[in-house]
Amino acid sequence: MDCYQKLIVKPLTGDLRHDTYQFLVDNGRPDTAQHCLDVGDEARNIALQYGIDPDAAAYSGYLHDISAVIPNEERIATAQELSIEVLLEEEVFPMIIHQKLSRQMAIDLFKVDDHQIVDAAGCHTTLRANPTELDKVLFVADKIAWDQPGKPPYWYEIKQALEQSLDKACFSYIDYLWQRQAQLKVVHPWLRDAYYELRVKL
Ligand SMILES: [Fe+2]
Ligand SMILES: [Fe+2]
């Protein structure tokens, strides 16, 4: 793929934690490299708490933001080149398509063929309707180990909810966003689906 040609991609060692970290550092995103490790570790812990495959959870965390190496202004064109469906909300706010780009790059560049792992990376920002347990683990891990300094404003609520259930933890964050809808650039339809589904379920 042409869109991958500008990227530095070293031969894979088989250690996904190392390879994703190295890839992000090599392509100028050391900040995201650390964030992906943190999210992978957080996802592993949450998975252990809920009896979900801890390795799958960690892998999805290492991979989830690998598309940070693609500049925002190139994301829509890159998605089109990779035959990824681009929704209107994503065209308006391209940052949000980075989840789908990470999914495809995990397959193409890191040769990950476990669809549960790549699909979790593919919805880590918005969640989706009928999420898998792994989707929920990664979604929550990414919000707890966020990519900004200090603790996020919703940290206490999501941690408390996580003591009760994964669904409650997901809902705690989505509801936080929902109350601030006016400040959001767009409401992604997958987030809307997840919100209404969880609201009914809980
Ligand atoms: Fe992300
Ligand atoms: Fe992230």
Side-chain angles (χ1 to χ4, degrees):
M1 286 288 172
D2 279 357
C3 58
Y4 294 145
Q5 259 163 14
K6 278 187 269 178
L7 299 173
I8 298 166
V9 188
K10 292 195 177 131
L12 300 179
T13 67
D15 177 351
L16 194 63
R17 182 184 169 92
H18 169 271
D19 290 345
T20 49
Y21 184 87
Q22 193 65 47
F23 171 76
L24 284 159
V25 169
D26 287 345
N27 290 285
R29 295 306 303 260
D31 50 339
T32 309
Q34 185 58 49
H35 168 65
C36 283
L37 291 191
D38 294 343
V39 171
D41 293 344
E42 184 68 40
R44 179 185 293 283
N45 287 335
I46 297 172
L48 287 168
Q49 185 183 345
Y50 281 100
I52 295 156
D53 182 348
D55 288 332
Y59 294 156
S60 70
Y62 302 151
L63 291 160
H64 84 287
D65 274 340
I66 50 174
S67 63
V69 301
I70 302 193
N72 206 39
E73 61 277 13
E74 291 174 23
R75 284 184 176 155
I76 296 300
T78 305
Q80 283 161 345
E81 193 181 333
L82 295 172
S83 303
I84 293 170
E85 186 191 14
V86 179
L87 302 175
L88 180 66
E89 291 79 1
E90 294 160 343
E91 243 174 89
V92 172
F93 187 46
M95 186 287 282
I96 215 164
I97 206 165
H98 82 280
Q99 58 180 357
K100 293 180 178 173
L101 290 171
S102 287
R103 178 188 179 280
Q104 195 58 45
M105 290 169 73
I107 296 167
D108 296 340
L109 301 179
F110 293 92
K111 311 299 174 201
V112 178
D113 58 8
D114 183 324
H115 69 90
Q116 293 242 36
I117 293 173
V118 298
D119 287 352
C123 69
H124 76 264
T125 310
T126 60
L127 210 59
R128 57 175 173 165
N130 292 310
T132 66
E133 295 304 287
L134 194 63
D135 292 347
K136 295 181 211 169
V137 167
L138 179 61
F139 181 74
V140 172
D142 183 46
K143 307 307 168 275
I144 291 175
W146 77 339
D147 53 5
Q148 294 169 57
K151 281 195 172 91
Y154 50 77
W155 190 86
Y156 183 73
E157 281 75 16
I158 198 170
K159 288 288 272 188
Q160 263 203 331
L162 189 56
E163 293 306 311
Q164 299 171 49
S165 75
L166 267 177
D167 281 343
K168 282 191 178 162
C170 290
F171 189 73
S172 134
Y173 176 74
I174 299 177
D175 192 45
Y176 168 87
L177 283 186
W178 211 255
Q179 290 169 29
R180 285 156 187 79
Q181 257 192 70
Q183 294 156 43
L184 300 179
K185 297 231 170 38
V186 295
V187 176
H188 195 280
W190 294 7
L191 184 84
R192 184 180 295 115
D193 290 348
Y195 173 79
Y196 285 116
E197 203 176 86
L198 284 168
R199 205 175 73 169
V200 170
K201 197 171 165 190
L202 296 171

